Amino acid sequence: MPVVDFAPGYAEQGLLNGGRENCFLNAIIQVLWHIQPLHEYFLHPSAHMCEARRCVHCATVNLFKAHITARSVPLLDPAPLRTALHASYAPAGRFVLDRADDVADAFDAILSDLHNEGSGLPGPSLACTADSPCISHAVFGHRTLSAFRCDRCGAGDLDYPDTRYTFQCNARFMYKYPPTLSNHPFEDALRAAAMGTDNYCPECGNPTHHTRRFARIPPISTIQIDWEETDTSSPGALFAAFLEGVAEHISTHHLVDVVPDEGPLITGTLQGMVVFRGRHFVTIWRIRSLGWHIFDDAHIAHFAQSFQQLKTSLSYESWIPVLLFYTNGPGGSSGPQPGAAPEP
């Protein structure tokens, strides 16, 4: 999966915050700006029914176009996108203006809106199928098939489908491996953490063991780390163990239970991350031979050169990763593709 970086003629840009609590949104915008297929999509976006002020799709398109075409402008204003998110999700009380919000929720909201707009009508896009996915699912969509049997209600399935933009993990489930994560591959800890938070019957909610396999691995695997049940103001040993275990390369197939017997296994390479400290979010992204750079609202600076230096700097400055972005190489497909049906 190609990414946009410090290529000749390309200028990095910061984003305004000005005390408006936009850092969570600015961090996601910086991630999306660094992914080439999204640039290609936003230069030629799909037609849709615009809802003016509350149109997240149009606000995202306009911000991308300004980023691509107005390279001499050092700072861009995310206010129109923030306003559109607020207007769209006001009934649910989300993305209130001038109030900090969750970075993973913003990531999901923007991608979900791009998915919904594929049909030109409100609601899930019928134009998005497993064989011809929308831009959101094409770049970020993991599709898994699960086998399970519920002891309470008897529900069961050999190929229960699930499609998500992130591979969600609970930090506290990653530490069943004594004494530290370094004794086990990082993907093993991630798989255990996902199993701990996601093994429920879809019919009755009873805890139920799922055996998962990938039906599709996207070009970019996004690992979401949930720290809600930990004290992130003083992370201590938990955070230290996580940083010790986090890997620059993972075997993406091993994030789930069943690994294919045939064909090459896909390796994911860490390309970037969103991290937080207190209530402040920033993006850290690898820029080829120039190393890792930090995108902190209006400020862009070199952060670390090597991966080991990155981990050292994260630890020293107490930045806690919440989203990890691994590039899986071209194609991103794995295993049999399900029949052409709308993505959820």
Side-chain angles (χ1 to χ4, degrees):
M1 167 59 61
V3 296
V4 177
D5 56 22
F6 285 118
Y10 176 76
E12 295 288 352
Q13 288 169 303
L15 289 154
L16 295 172
N17 191 341
R20 303 297 301 273
E21 300 286 0
N22 286 335
C23 65
F24 74 96
L25 181 57
N26 289 347
I28 292 304
I29 293 170
Q30 287 289 359
V31 168
L32 301 180
W33 273 355
H34 281 84
I35 298 172
Q36 184 65 45
L38 294 180
H39 279 239
E40 297 167 358
Y41 171 80
F42 284 116
L43 282 175
H44 307 284
S46 60
H48 71 288
M49 295 180 64
C50 183
E51 298 184 51
R53 249 182 111 251
R54 63 180 298 173
C55 184
V56 175
H57 185 273
C58 281
T60 309
V61 167
N62 291 337
L63 190 58
F64 256 83
K65 286 186 175 180
H67 175 59
I68 296 168
T69 60
R71 295 176 179 175
S72 62
V73 179
L75 296 175
L76 294 179
D77 190 353
L81 179 55
R82 180 70 189 267
T83 300
L85 283 170
H86 167 65
S88 295
Y89 290 89
R94 298 171 59 192
F95 307 119
V96 177
L97 296 177
D98 300 327
R99 184 185 299 175
D101 217 303
D102 184 78
V103 70
D105 285 350
F107 182 67
D108 183 81
I110 293 173
L111 294 183
S112 295
D113 186 88
L114 296 179
H115 165 70
N116 291 340
E117 291 297 339
S119 65
L121 297 170
S125 171
L126 297 179
C128 178
T129 68
D131 292 331
S132 181
C134 67
I135 185 65
S136 297
H137 287 102
V139 177
F140 295 104
H142 288 90
R143 187 171 178 85
T144 59
L145 300 175
S146 300
F148 74 94
R149 174 66 63 182
C150 179
D151 295 333
R152 174 188 291 173
C153 70
D157 201 329
L158 294 178
D159 287 315
Y160 179 77
D162 188 24
T163 303
R164 301 188 183 189
Y165 302 124
T166 64
F167 190 87
Q168 297 170 310
C169 304
N170 191 313
R172 71 186 181 90
F173 283 98
M174 299 180 68
Y175 299 90
K176 295 181 178 180
Y177 299 118
T180 68
L181 282 172
S182 62
N183 296 330
H184 302 267
F186 187 49
E187 51 268 42
D188 286 359
L190 293 173
R191 183 175 67 249
M195 290 171 60
T197 60
D198 210 28
N199 270 14
Y200 300 96
C201 173
E203 299 297 329
C204 70
N206 184 53
T208 304
H209 177 68
H210 289 236
T211 301
R212 294 177 177 82
R213 60 186 173 90
F214 277 124
R216 181 183 185 274
I217 293 176
I220 297 179
S221 291
T222 305
I223 310 298
Q224 177 183 339
I225 308 298
D226 180 6
W227 298 88
E228 288 186 359
E229 298 181 31
T230 63
D231 181 9
T232 54
S233 64
S234 179
L238 183 67
F239 175 50
F242 177 85
L243 277 187
E244 183 180 353
V246 67
E248 184 175 12
H249 305 284
I250 62 172
S251 173
T252 308
H253 279 102
H254 285 87
L255 291 173
V256 293
D257 307 281
V258 180
V259 178
D261 296 328
E262 300 179 355
L265 297 183
I266 291 177
T267 297
T269 299
L270 187 64
Q271 181 65 45
M273 61 180 67
V274 173
V275 300
F276 73 98
R277 183 174 58 197
R279 296 171 60 191
H280 187 61
F281 294 93
V282 303
T283 294
I284 298 174
W285 205 262
R286 191 207 305 261
I287 310 296
R288 291 189 181 178
S289 61
L290 298 178
W292 299 85
H293 284 65
I294 186 168
F295 298 83
D296 183 356
D297 292 329
H299 306 287
I300 302 171
H302 184 268
F303 188 74
Q305 190 61 35
S306 68
F307 177 68
Q308 189 56 48
Q309 290 171 352
L310 169 69
K311 296 208 291 186
T312 300
S313 296
L314 290 172
S315 176
Y316 180 76
E317 300 188 23
S318 299
W319 288 112
I320 301 175
V322 64
L323 293 174
L324 304 174
F325 298 90
Y326 286 86
T327 55
N328 291 314
S333 286
S334 167
Q337 296 291 325
E343 297 280 8

